[in-house]
Amino acid sequence: MTDTRRRVKLYALNAERQWDDRGTGHVTSSYVDRLKGVSLLVRAEVDGSLLLESKIQPDTAYQKQQETLIVWSEGDNFDLALSFQEKAGCDEIWEKICQVQGKDPSVDITQDFVEESEDERFEDMSDTAPPVELPPCELNKLETINELIATCLSSAVRREKLSTALEMEGYIRKLLNLFHICEDLENLEGLHHLFEVFKNIFLLNKNALFEVMFAEDTIFDVVGCLEYDPNAKIRKKHRDYLRQMAKFKEVIPITNPELLAKIHQTYRVQYIQDVVLPTPSVFEENMLSTLSSFIFFNKVEIVSLIQDDEKFLNELFTHLTDETMEISKRRDLVLFLKEFCTFSQTLQPQSRETFFKTLASLGILPALEITLGVDDLATKSASIDILSYIVEFSPSMVRDYMLQQVNSSEDENLLLNIIIEQMMCDSDPELGGAVQLSGILRLLIDPENMLASINKSEKADFLNFFYKHSMHVLVNPLLSNTTGDRPTKEDYPTVQLLGLILELLSFCVEHHTYHIKNYILNRDLLRRILVLMRSRHTFLVLSALRFLRKIISLKDEFYNRYIVKSNLLSPVVDAFLRNNGRYNLLDSAILELFEFIKMEDIKSLCVYVVDTFGKALDKVEYVQTFKCLRLRYDQQQDRIGERERSTSALDSVPSILRTTRYRRDPRQLEEEEEIWFNSEDDDAEDNGADAVTPSHTAPIATNAQQVQTVALTTSPTSPIAFSKANVISPKANHSGGSNSPIIGASSNGGSSSPSTLSPSTSPVPPSTDVQSPSTMKKALVDYDGDSEEEEEADTDPIPGEKIVEEVEPKKDIDSAVPVISPVDGEDDDVESPNKRAKLT
């Protein structure tokens, strides 16, 4: 079994003058070569790691407090403390420290004084300053005593000497005897001196003196001395309050006398610090740190003693969950539990986690389900405080309990729904409890503090649970109040509650993107919320607007389409126009919303705003927001118009022509090529020898209104400009006055292009070859750049001369059916001027 005598808690004093728990372990004292001296070593009881390695310096002042504490300072402003589980262990280590420093173990401080600076040594002229000699403790010496103590406060050395003298001579008890005499004699002058004396003794900041003053038989006399403030017109009767008004209630009998004494002492000392002592000046704030430490360690000890008493805690929770318990009795139990949890805030995180796990195992959450619903304001308020302590420290523990309830409880009995219901029915006009519960709810649904692991996803599980079992309870007051075009109820508690609900929903929009989006879109929740834009309470209107702003800030097109389709900006614009340009928060908030739409260029909302509300908003000229929105809208419409025109022009050209301008996937080109070839072969077979006639139009020029053609003209003023990209003019002015389409193409690699001649022109001479579809395709898909052949052919035509491309005469021209002559091994992707149709 582990030796508990040396079991300690290590504390360090932080910058806020609060003690931080550095861990629990076992202390030993041994020689350390590296430090060249006997040192105190504390090793953690969990993993054996070294928590403390402190050499016992011969000039360091160690103090023994409350029989189980050893406190000392290392360096400047770095105080350490060891809190022993057992007195015997404290005595052993204290003897070792005294042995190293050559001191008598019977003392509670190993050094007579502490040197703080060279100035103080110079001031005292010697390290061995003479002790402070206290005058006789008599009535006629009170003024002298007061002056002596006051003068000692300015020097650390003198404070140490004075503290030692007061402690060794039992001077405090002698002063308290004088207090009784002065009070009996109604000697106000003496009582005023005693007030100053004891106020200055507190400023000595010595734990040994506090233990004497806070003993059971002396604490009331000390409080009595502090009642006679010479600056107060009326004496405050603190003793009467502590004895008569402050009643200690034992809701469950405490059988441990040590625990009972600690509770009484802590309450009274806390009262002295908070109420009795005058407010310290700026120079005196740090002089009461030991008093704060005294209270702190007392609270830690009280929590530990109660936590170790299993019988007491079991009895406490048995009474709490007893539904037949009287309201007053349950109130006292809950108030005790609240005070217990308040004391636990002094514990460090590791100890506090153990504390709350103990409470959870005893059933604190089921008990709170009962106490939250009790029709007693004090009980409900204390229950909310307890729940707040638990959720703030460990929300995951509460969420685990709630998830376990799914299969064992009805929805109305779930703890989460009880929290929401209590938020809805808060009887406080200011909704203090509802505000506190909404904060608890926000912590519970905050994904930032949810855990995720390989086998468990708390975020997914809890959010699914929340939206399935509890979200409808949260939004129910909102839905019931927005059934028409205006809010149904406008009383102050109702609108305050709706404001809290909207804050939570805004939080959900920001953090629960997927779940809340489905909920809003499926239940048309945003439209119902925007009904509140017609409320007469401006803060509620702003809450609804803030919710909409959260949604728009996400720039989610699902939300944007929903807003446009349902015309959900209409209530916002109506509120803006009703405000009529008044310079207030509502006006600024709505303008900021539209400014965001403009700055972020949310096109769907920009078009919707201008199309739907443009006429009304164009009249607003005191800001440039709506003019800029209109400008953005016009620019966007121009771009759309240009895109549509280019698309329609492109669509009017056969697919093979479009390939000259837009690069496409080579595989797509090959597929179109095959389709085109096959269609030409089929036409050739069907038409036979009639495939080419003088008055017949070629297949690619079947619609004169859709295809652009190059005009053939004999006029010397109308030269034809050849284009590498086969630029075609829709109209041709012919000498014969005919508008029949005529196609002319630039030379591409020496191949010829088919030409469709109008009846007014001469037919193609028999020697003219007909270009094959393959050659036409090759000429049209040359978008990679000009070939050498194109450069040679890119010359100006002769004015007045008909454009007919020269082709090499072929034999057997009687048959005009084009036949594709395959070229073995030729790559279709390579531009080849030699791929031509042969007439057979």
Side-chain angles (χ1 to χ4, degrees), residues 492-546:
Y492 186 73
T494 300
V495 296
Q496 279 281 82
L497 177 62
L498 293 180
L500 290 176
I501 294 173
L502 285 176
E503 283 186 15
L504 288 170
L505 291 177
S506 299
F507 180 83
C508 293
V509 167
E510 188 174 357
H511 294 86
H512 305 167
T513 51
Y514 169 74
H515 294 83
I516 190 66
K517 184 195 298 182
N518 285 343
Y519 200 90
I520 290 173
L521 298 181
N522 292 336
R523 290 164 177 78
D524 198 16
L525 185 61
L526 180 56
R527 183 182 64 81
R528 302 292 289 273
I529 289 174
L530 291 177
V531 171
L532 301 176
M533 294 293 295
R534 299 189 67 87
S535 172
R536 58 186 175 88
H537 297 277
T538 305
F539 80 89
L540 187 59
V541 175
L542 290 169
S543 295
L545 183 64
R546 188 159 51 247

Side-chain angles (χ1 to χ4, degrees), residues 694-713:
S695 61
H696 186 67
T697 303
I700 61 174
T702 58
N703 192 333
Q705 299 301 322
Q706 296 176 355
V707 183
Q708 297 179 340
T709 63
V710 175
L712 299 183
T713 178

Side-chain angles (χ1 to χ4, degrees), residues 269-288:
V269 176
Q270 188 83 60
Y271 182 83
I272 291 172
Q273 183 186 44
D274 296 341
V275 180
V276 179
L277 283 177
T279 304
S281 67
V282 176
F283 303 102
E284 297 172 342
E285 284 182 355
N286 293 330
M287 300 184 75
L288 293 174

Side-chain angles (χ1 to χ4, degrees), residues 808-824:
E808 184 180 349
K810 299 290 182 180
K811 297 179 180 181
D812 300 324
I813 62 175
D814 295 332
S815 177
V817 178
V819 178
I820 306 302
S821 178
V823 180
D824 295 337

Side-chain angles (χ1 to χ4, degrees), residues 461-520:
D461 294 343
F462 188 77
L463 290 182
N464 287 334
F465 161 77
F466 172 68
Y467 281 90
K468 182 178 180 180
H469 297 279
S470 301
M471 190 62 165
H472 64 280
V473 183
L474 179 63
V475 301
N476 184 55
L478 177 65
L479 298 179
S480 63
N481 204 39
T482 56
T483 53
D485 294 335
R486 305 180 71 93
T488 307
K489 297 174 65 178
E490 292 264 47
D491 57 284
Y492 186 73
T494 300
V495 296
Q496 279 281 82
L497 177 62
L498 293 180
L500 290 176
I501 294 173
L502 285 176
E503 283 186 15
L504 288 170
L505 291 177
S506 299
F507 180 83
C508 293
V509 167
E510 188 174 357
H511 294 86
H512 305 167
T513 51
Y514 169 74
H515 294 83
I516 190 66
K517 184 195 298 182
N518 285 343
Y519 200 90
I520 290 173

Side-chain angles (χ1 to χ4, degrees), residues 617-727:
L617 296 178
D618 285 345
K619 300 175 183 177
V620 179
E621 297 181 349
Y622 61 91
V623 290
Q624 298 298 311
T625 301
F626 301 111
K627 286 185 179 180
C628 293
L629 274 176
R630 169 68 71 178
L631 180 61
R632 286 278 178 93
Y633 171 83
D634 292 340
Q635 292 173 347
Q636 187 174 353
Q637 293 302 109
D638 290 343
R639 286 195 295 269
I640 292 174
E642 291 176 4
R643 194 179 301 118
E644 288 178 350
R645 285 193 294 273
S646 63
T647 303
S648 62
L650 184 63
D651 289 343
S652 66
V653 181
S655 62
I656 192 167
L657 292 179
R658 290 200 299 271
T659 60
T660 64
R661 180 169 293 182
Y662 301 103
R663 179 183 298 271
R664 287 190 265 171
D665 192 326
R667 291 171 294 182
Q668 186 178 357
L669 294 172
E670 292 174 5
E671 292 173 2
E672 287 192 3
E673 202 176 327
E674 289 298 329
I675 295 171
W676 197 84
F677 287 159
N678 293 336
S679 65
E680 286 299 316
D681 290 343
D682 293 341
D683 291 342
E685 292 174 3
D686 292 342
N687 296 332
D690 297 331
V692 178
T693 62
S695 61
H696 186 67
T697 303
I700 61 174
T702 58
N703 192 333
Q705 299 301 322
Q706 296 176 355
V707 183
Q708 297 179 340
T709 63
V710 175
L712 299 183
T713 178
T714 58
S715 172
T717 60
S718 304
I720 299 174
F722 279 96
S723 171
K724 300 173 189 176
N726 299 316
V727 178

Side-chain angles (χ1 to χ4, degrees), residues 55-118:
K55 180 181 177 181
I56 301 175
Q57 300 289 350
D59 56 349
T60 298
Y62 290 84
Q63 296 183 47
K64 184 180 178 185
Q65 302 176 4
Q66 303 181 28
E67 297 184 339
T68 56
L69 276 174
I70 296 177
V71 182
W72 73 99
S73 297
E74 289 201 357
D76 295 333
N77 300 322
F78 185 60
D79 295 347
L80 295 172
L82 291 177
S83 178
F84 289 78
Q85 181 172 332
E86 295 185 10
K87 179 179 179 296
C90 181
D91 292 340
E92 290 177 5
I93 297 298
W94 183 250
E95 288 178 5
K96 191 68 176 179
I97 293 172
C98 292
Q99 179 183 345
V100 172
Q101 293 195 342
K103 301 294 180 179
D104 185 355
S106 62
V107 301
D108 288 337
I109 182 168
T110 60
Q111 299 294 320
D112 291 335
F113 59 89
V114 177
E115 295 182 61
E116 290 192 351
S117 67
E118 292 291 331

